[in-house]
Each structure stands twice: as structure tokens, then as C-alpha cells.
Amino acid sequence: MAKPAVLTHPESLKRPAGPSEYAKNPVNASLSKADKIALYTKMARIRHFEQRCIRIYQQGKIGGFLHLYVGQEAVAAGTISLLGKHDHIITGYRDHGHGLMVGMGMNECMAELTGRVTGCSQGKGGSMHYFAPDKNYWGGHGIVGGQAPLGTGLAYAVKYMGLKGSCLVYMGDGAVNQGAVHEAYNLASLWDLPVIFVVENNGYSMGTSQERSTAHPGCLAKRAEGYNMAWDVINGHDVYEVRAKTAIALKRAHEESKPTVLEIFTYRYFGHSMADPDKTYRDKEEIKEYREKKDPVLAFEQELLGEKVLTPELSQKINEAAMAEADKAAIFADESPDPTVADITKHIYWEEDNRGPKTTSRGTIIFE
Amino acid sequence: MAVISYREALRAAMREELKRDDKVVIMGEEVAQFNGAYKVTEGLLKEFGPKRIVDTPISEAGFIGLGIGASMLGIRPVMELMFWSFSYVAFDQIVNNAGNIRYMSGGLINCPIVIRGPANGGTNVGATHSHTPEAILASHPGIKVVCPATPYDAKGLMKAAIRDNDPVYVMENTILYNDKGEVPDEDYIVPLGVADVKRVGTDLTIVAHGRAVITSLKAAEILEKEHGVSVEVVDLRSIRPLDEETILASVRKTHRALLVEENKPFCGVDAQVAYLIQSKAFDELDAPIHRVSSIDAPQIYCKRMEDLQMPNVERVVAEALKVLA
Ligand SMILES: Cc1ncc(C[n+]2csc(CCOP(=O)(O)OP(=O)(O)O)c2C)c(N)n1
Ligand SMILES: [Mg+2]
């Protein structure tokens, strides 16, 4: 089987963020100054969008669950920044960062959180269920691991149609223990599907540390060997490294139609969701240490300042613009209307929304 | 009698049964060190230790199936599903294995497992997390399903479920967890299959289960105060076994029935109850049976609309007046 091209042991990852050793990697070296600034801008936008979400949640305007991506931005940013026309993505419920990265607007994202009809899913899906199929983003899935077979299916469809593409399937370190994930791994490898399973290992599944949830041969990605799949591990705070190593998996998908498991070490700063007081299962010091030494947005800012791509003034402008954009999105969400009662029974069946000669079924389908 | 919450009542039931029977084991995601996603199992790890209170990975098919297997050998697992919505990834274990093993072995094997957790909408979390699968599961012979609405019933039904020798699925409600009520200090059970008349009345019978009971009781107050109607509220408590006699006795008295449940209407629990009433008390009815259930769609996320999608006091009052017209 194909050995991973670059192999880092998790132990060696415990080094602080510094100038990235992947800056000179071709996928990064080939980025123009404008590309780099755009990438940084996207990361900053994810950060500020979510920080705005916290306030809206605290004001009681978002109910239910709100799973924040703060701390993990470089994962979505690095991987998605490499994707082309026939590359698709799908993820779990921690899905805002991926949404903004594929180009969803802050307005539609914010309005979805507050359940407005102007939301990306018209107020029907909520925080855990963002979708933007026009941007190759297939959700936003609330059931842990449920997206893994779906993403494998997207990859199957890409291959079936003879397209040079892939599907990136994101999941957490807890999700790797769902049966559906293992079945998807096997199918992906058995059928040579162009899928990349991205395990966003933030160390915890709710209040359970990764060590308490998972038996593994050294790291989670290595489970791929049991399915004869290639794998790699990545420092998730370094967007350059994420890009460099994901590019290899992407090439494998595009050129050999083979799957890969990537385990990306990352960290979430807030509780599992806003409902988690986050007081019992980890040390505040641990959060502080990651924030100080490995914050992905700050690390990339430092990197770009060092490269003289970014100036402090420009960075400030970018961050202020992102904050202003998030503020405007919050107002947009506030001022948007709710769906109506009639909307509740729309979008259940294609048939109901497309009455006409193409309808092939009869009879009552929505009941009172 | 102590006044405790629905959550505390469930915990007390588990605590007492853990003490009574050393075969009782509590298992589920975050039940031990995190004290439960909804804190139902809070303190149990400290009191009973990690052999009895076990955290699992996010592997519902695996750990629920494991619990079923262990129960076949005489362990009495009480498995927590963080949400009953997640039972869908363990459907084969829950339905095919737990529900059929006794039958297919010609009675040689028992499956004394309890699976419990919240099964409700109304919390603004969207369609994947808002399922109420009591009707789906109770439609399988071999499975028992209960839906407590009050702290008293939550404790009594949970204890009965743990002592029961068949698979019993206890469907709780996150919105009820903080509700308080009187619970006796001494040991008691609420037998499965015994409904409870939560309010006595003469003009209309409302049959409900789970949180719909609470909604119906509020509606009954309004119907009494504002419309001068005397409403009897029958709380099923148990879906299967079903207390047919209590339902029929109430209908024979009031001659009118309104059925209220949080499920979507198609093949809901109340479809079965309506059939029961018309088949065994048809001549007693002075009006057609009406139902209030959730609007027939996947659960909408928008909180304002979700509140309208589900049975609420206004809808129950309006429908009751139609039955009485
Ligand atoms: C099948 C299923 N079981 C349980 C849950 C509840 N739940 C949601 S997220 C989560 C933890 C997942 O952790 P991980 O996979 O590490 O992802 P992270 O939240 O860290 O991004 C749990 C237990 C669920 N949504 N679906
Ligand atoms: Mg995690």
C-alpha cells in the first residue's frame, strides 16, 4: 500500500507555533501575496463571525445548540483553500467555519442560527445543519459520523461521472468510533474512491478526552492501515502545513482515485457547545497554552507579518472589516422575518414542491 | 413526601436500583465523569464507582448491542442515549436483537435491558435531534415503551423498568427535567401498562402521554375556566403495554375523546388509541374522535415555528372545542 509521504508522530507535534517549515512547500510558495491575504482574511472572518455568535447566543436569540469552531480555523481554511470545481465537502455539526470557507455569506449563516427565513436553510436546519450545495458544501450533519457514508457517496458519484474530483469528509476525534465511519472507510478503500477523511482531532468529544474514547495504534489516522488506506497526521494550527499535506491526499484522490485519512491536531477554545460549562474535564491552563502558543489565526498572521505580506495596519483593517461584517450580519438576522406556519410543510417532498406532469405519485402524503 | 425534580426522580430510581441489585449497570456517553449530558446520572460515579457507572465512546450500535448481550447473561444494564434520536444508529440492536431474541429462541433467552434518554422536540435543535420514536418502537412486539410525564411517574416507571425482564425503553423529556413534583420517600413502582387519570372530568376525555399530558392539563384548566367544560385527562404513561381499560372507562363516562401527542400524526400512538376507542366503545361516542399532534413535517429549527408545530395549549383548547361543538 501507499505509505504516507510525510509522517509526523503526534509526540513531535508538541512544539510551539513558529515560522512554518511548510512556507516553501510548492502549494504555499505558489500563492500570490493577494492569495495569502485572502486566506488570512477568511480565517479572520470565521473567527469574528463566531465570536459574534457568542454574543447573539447570550442575548437569547440563538436557542438549541451552538458548536463553535474557534481554535480550529486553519483546518477548514487550509483544506478548503485547495479545492477545485469537482471537489466537495461534508462535515458534522461544527460547521460554520466550513460554510464561510466555501463562500457562504455571513448574513445567510447568521440568519440560519436565529431561525430566519433568510437563512441558508430558510430557518429549517439551524446551526448544525448548514448546506450550500451550489458551493459543493453538503452539510452540516447533526448525527455524529452520519456524514461519513454520505461523503463517500459524493466521492463515488464524482468518480462515476468521470470527473477529476474528490470529497473531503470532516469528522471529530469522537466520531471515529461510529460504525458508519468504519463501513465508509472500507467502502472507500475497497472501491478506490476519491475521498479524504479529515479527522479534526481537538482532543475531546464533549467531556471525554481522546484517550478515554478510542483504542488506536498510535494515532487515529493509523487506523487507516487496517483498511489498506494511506494516512497522515498534521499540525492543525499551521495552515501552511494543512495545505501542504492535504495537497498530497488531494493528488492521490484526483490522480489515483484513492482515499486517505488525515488526522489534523487542533483544539477548541470553548465548550463542546454553548451549553457545555466546560469546567470539569480539562484544565484552563491547557486552553490558555494552546491559545498563546498555537492559535491558528495569530500564527498565520505572524507568519505573514514575517513574510512582509501583511503589515500590522493591514491586519487591523482586515480584522475590523470582519467584525463590521459580523455586526451587519447580526442586524440582518435580527431584521429578517421568520418562516411561516405554511413553510413548515414545504420542502418535505420534491413532489409537493413540484406539482405537475412530472409527479409520479398520488394520494395523501402530508397528514393532519 | 419529598418534592423533587423529574431529573432527580429518575436519578433516585437508578440509585435505589443500583443499591438493591448489584447486576444493575449504568452505561452511556458522558454518564460517569461528566455526570450526564443532562445531569440525570449526576453523582452516581462517585457513589458507585466505574464498574457500575460506565462512560462509552460515541458508538451507539456497539454499546447498546453490548448491553443487550450482557442482559442475556443476567446483567441489568440501564443504557443512556443522550437523545433517543441517536437510537437510529443502533436500530438493528434495539429492534431486531432486543425485540426478537426471546421470541426466536422459543423463550430460552431473556433481555432485561433498559434504554433511557430524552425523546422530545421543542428545544430548537432541528430535525435530527427532535425525534419521538415511541410509536415506531412500540409497534414492534417484544418491546415495551413508557413515557413518564411527572416526577412521580418517572421514578416509579424507571424502577419498574429496571426490574422488568423484557426490554423497556424509557422516553424522557428534556423540557420536563426541571419540573418538580411529590415523590414518596418509601420504595414504590409504577407498573408498566397502568394509565393514570391526571384530572377527573365529565364532558371530554383527553388522552395524552409524555409532555403532551402537561400541555393537556393546562388546556383543561382553560376549558374549565373560560368555557365551563369539565375535562378528564388520561395519562397513558405506558405505550406498550397499553392500559385499554382506563381509556375506555373514561370515554364511557364522557362520551367524547380528544387525543394529544407530540408525534407526527401518521401511525402515531393515537392512531392506535383511536382504533381502540372506536372498536370497543363506538356506541358510547357522541362525537368523532379528534387528534392534536405535531404538524406533519420534519422538526423545523426556527423556535417560533417549532412551538406552533408541536401541540400547544391553544391548539388543544381549539380542538377540544371542536369535539364539544
Ligand atoms: C450518533 C450520535 N451520538 C451522540 C451525539 C451527541 N454528540 C454530539 S457531538 C458529540 C461529541 C463529538 O465529538 P467529536 O467527534 O470529537 O467532535 P467535536 O465535537 O470535538 O468537533 C456527541 C457525543 C450525536 N450528535 N450523534
Ligand atoms: Mg473532538
Side-chain angles (χ1 to χ4, degrees):
Chain A
M1 64 159 269
K3 277 262 178 282
V6 191
L7 176 60
T8 320
H9 192 272
E11 281 310 302
S12 72
L13 301 177
K14 291 179 182 154
R15 57 168 177 74
S20 173
E21 46 185 290
Y22 291 88
K24 297 217 163 61
N25 184 284
V27 289
N28 298 320
S30 65
L31 289 175
S32 70
K33 211 172 148 176
D35 291 338
K36 289 178 180 179
I37 290 170
L39 183 57
Y40 173 72
T41 304
K42 283 179 183 162
M43 288 172 70
R45 285 177 69 244
I46 298 174
R47 174 73 50 101
H48 292 301
F49 174 80
E50 292 220 304
Q51 282 175 343
R52 195 69 183 77
C53 291
I54 298 173
R55 267 162 62 201
I56 295 175
Y57 183 92
Q58 286 164 344
Q59 290 166 346
K61 292 178 186 166
I62 301 174
F65 295 135
L66 179 68
H67 305 90
L68 298 175
Y69 198 60
V70 181
Q72 303 187 202
E73 293 90 344
V75 180
T79 51
I80 294 169
S81 65
L82 294 163
L83 303 185
K85 188 163 172 233
H86 300 301
D87 298 311
H88 298 258
I89 70 160
I90 190 164
T91 185
Y93 43 84
R94 204 176 293 286
D95 57 353
H96 310 159
H98 307 76
L100 292 177
M101 260 318 287
V102 298
M104 291 171 77
M106 280 198 198
N107 281 0
E108 55 177 320
C109 288
M110 197 65 93
E112 188 59 32
L113 297 181
T114 57
R116 303 301 187 180
V117 73
T118 52
C120 55
S121 303
Q122 302 194 21
K124 291 189 157 176
S127 163
M128 301 192 286
H129 309 112
Y130 277 12
F131 297 93
D134 60 321
K135 300 178 174 67
N136 292 2
Y137 183 28
W138 300 93
H141 293 267
I143 299 300
V144 167
Q147 73 276 22
L150 295 186
T152 309
L154 290 163
Y156 170 87
V158 165
K159 183 176 179 181
Y160 185 92
M161 293 188 281
L163 302 169
K164 196 169 180 171
S166 71
C167 184
L168 271 59
V169 181
Y170 299 84
M171 68 186 101
D173 49 294
V176 299
N177 298 313
Q178 275 291 336
V181 171
H182 287 264
E183 295 179 28
Y185 276 13
N186 183 51
L187 288 165
S189 183
L190 186 69
W191 292 350
D192 288 332
L193 300 178
V195 53
I196 302 172
F197 298 101
V198 180
V199 180
E200 299 197 44
N201 185 350
N202 59 14
Y204 298 87
S205 48
M206 290 189 70
T208 304
S209 67
Q210 191 237 291
E211 301 76 57
R212 290 207 301 122
S213 72
T214 309
H216 58 76
C219 64
L220 303 180
K222 205 172 174 197
R223 279 184 172 181
E225 286 180 7
Y227 297 95
N228 197 28
M229 259 191 294
W231 59 277
D232 205 346
V233 288
I234 303 176
N235 288 298
H237 63 264
D238 179 351
V239 71
Y240 278 162
E241 180 171 342
V242 173
R243 281 172 52 85
K245 292 184 175 177
T246 305
I248 297 166
L250 211 50
K251 195 163 169 233
R252 185 177 294 123
H254 289 169
E255 287 172 14
E256 300 168 52
S257 189
K258 292 239 192 240
T260 306
V261 177
L262 296 177
E263 178 179 2
I264 308 191
F265 299 97
T266 180
Y267 200 72
R268 67 164 156 78
Y269 294 173
F270 293 95
H272 166 70
S273 73
M274 288 299 287
D276 167 17
D278 189 11
K279 292 236 160 72
T280 47
Y281 55 88
R282 59 178 180 176
D283 210 343
K284 285 276 163 281
E285 277 306 305
E286 183 183 292
I287 307 173
K288 198 167 154 249
E289 175 153 336
Y290 199 95
R291 283 192 101 130
E292 280 172 5
K293 293 194 182 147
K294 296 191 176 179
D295 183 275
V297 182
L298 292 181
F300 194 44
E301 183 187 38
Q302 285 302 317
E303 183 77 36
L304 296 186
L305 288 169
E307 290 180 27
K308 306 259 185 288
V309 166
L310 212 53
T311 60
E313 297 71 41
L314 180 55
S315 174
Q316 192 181 342
K317 245 176 80 185
I318 289 168
N319 281 283
E320 280 171 2
M323 277 188 261
E325 190 186 358
D327 284 342
K328 268 169 72 184
I331 294 167
F332 174 82
D334 260 351
E335 292 176 347
S336 289
D338 280 338
T340 62
V341 174
D343 289 333
I344 295 176
T345 45
K346 281 186 199 144
H347 310 126
I348 303 174
Y349 292 98
W350 175 87
E351 176 193 330
E352 279 292 293
D353 302 331
N354 295 278
R355 282 273 170 222
K358 279 192 176 169
T359 311
T360 52
S361 65
R362 305 281 180 273
T364 305
I365 197 156
I366 307 295
F367 290 81
E368 293 204 359
Chain B
M1 278 225 254
V3 174
I4 62 173
S5 70
Y6 184 101
R7 174 191 285 110
E8 288 163 337
L10 290 164
R11 185 188 307 143
M14 286 190 272
R15 206 173 152 259
E16 287 170 24
E17 295 305 299
L18 278 158
K19 278 192 171 162
R20 190 187 54 78
D21 182 350
D22 66 8
K23 294 281 199 310
V24 175
V25 172
I26 311 277
M27 219 181 251
E29 291 156 23
E30 309 291 350
V31 296
Q33 292 195 18
F34 195 66
N35 281 312
Y38 287 98
K39 303 297 169 230
V40 175
T41 55
E42 186 158 32
L44 295 182
L45 172 67
K46 199 166 168 214
E47 184 171 355
F48 295 98
K51 182 176 175 192
R52 312 282 306 279
I53 316 293
V54 186
D55 276 328
T56 65
I58 313 169
S59 308
E60 285 84 357
F63 73 77
I64 295 280
L66 177 150
I68 294 165
S71 80
M72 287 156 45
L73 212 59
I75 305 298
R76 303 189 82 90
V78 180
M79 316 295 288
E80 174 171 307
L81 284 167
M82 201 177 284
F83 286 71
W84 266 99
S85 288
F86 309 155
S87 71
Y88 294 17
V89 307
F91 206 66
D92 178 54
Q93 301 300 331
I94 287 171
V95 174
N96 239 345
N97 286 347
N100 292 334
I101 192 80
R102 180 173 161 79
Y103 187 75
M104 294 192 306
S105 67
L108 293 177
I109 301 172
N110 290 334
C111 182
I113 191 167
V114 173
I115 308 177
R116 54 154 290 270
N120 59 281
T123 56
N124 197 194
V125 290
T128 57
H129 282 55
S130 304
H131 292 291
T132 50
E134 65 268 28
I136 302 173
L137 292 172
S139 73
H140 295 86
I143 288 168
K144 296 175 177 173
V145 180
V146 298
C147 301
T150 64
Y152 178 90
D153 293 341
K155 182 168 180 194
L157 286 169
M158 181 61 73
K159 287 176 72 107
I162 295 172
R163 295 179 196 181
D164 200 275
N165 284 328
D166 292 310
V168 184
Y169 301 164
V170 182
M171 306 211 178
E172 304 160 7
N173 191 309
T174 53
I175 297 173
L176 300 180
Y177 276 150
N178 289 329
D179 279 14
K180 293 211 157 142
E182 285 194 342
V183 173
D185 300 319
E186 62 274 15
D187 183 41
Y188 73 98
I189 64 162
V190 172
L192 314 186
V194 180
D196 184 37
V197 177
K198 285 274 190 303
R199 178 190 174 102
V200 179
T202 53
D203 302 335
L204 168 71
T205 296
I206 295 183
V207 179
H209 65 273
R211 182 169 163 241
V213 173
I214 309 299
T215 310
S216 299
L217 286 169
K218 287 183 190 148
E221 291 264 308
I222 292 173
L223 286 161
E224 171 109 54
K225 279 206 193 104
E226 295 176 15
H227 302 276
V229 186
S230 165
V231 179
E232 180 144 305
V233 177
V234 176
D235 175 1
L236 292 178
R237 297 201 289 200
S238 169
I239 309 302
R240 189 183 187 123
L242 184 69
D243 183 353
E244 300 193 345
E245 217 19 72
T246 300
I247 301 168
L248 294 171
S250 181
V251 173
R252 286 191 195 109
K253 183 168 78 171
T254 64
H255 308 291
R256 289 169 199 268
L258 172 65
L259 314 180
V260 184
E261 68 179 316
E262 194 182 313
N263 275 310
K264 311 303 187 288
F266 193 72
C267 297
V269 169
D270 288 341
Q272 185 68 25
V273 174
Y275 171 74
L276 166 76
I277 296 170
Q278 77 81 34
S279 75
K280 297 199 177 154
F282 183 73
D283 293 339
E284 297 281 351
L285 287 174
D286 287 346
I289 301 166
H290 283 227
R291 292 174 71 189
V292 175
S293 42
S294 283
I295 293 175
D296 195 18
Q299 202 80 0
I300 194 164
Y301 169 76
C302 171
K303 178 75 171 108
R304 279 83 53 195
M305 289 308 113
E306 189 187 18
D307 288 344
L308 299 177
Q309 182 174 15
M310 295 178 37
N312 53 45
V313 176
E314 295 70 37
R315 281 179 62 202
V316 174
V317 169
E319 207 62 30
L321 292 174
K322 284 189 205 160
V323 185
L324 290 157

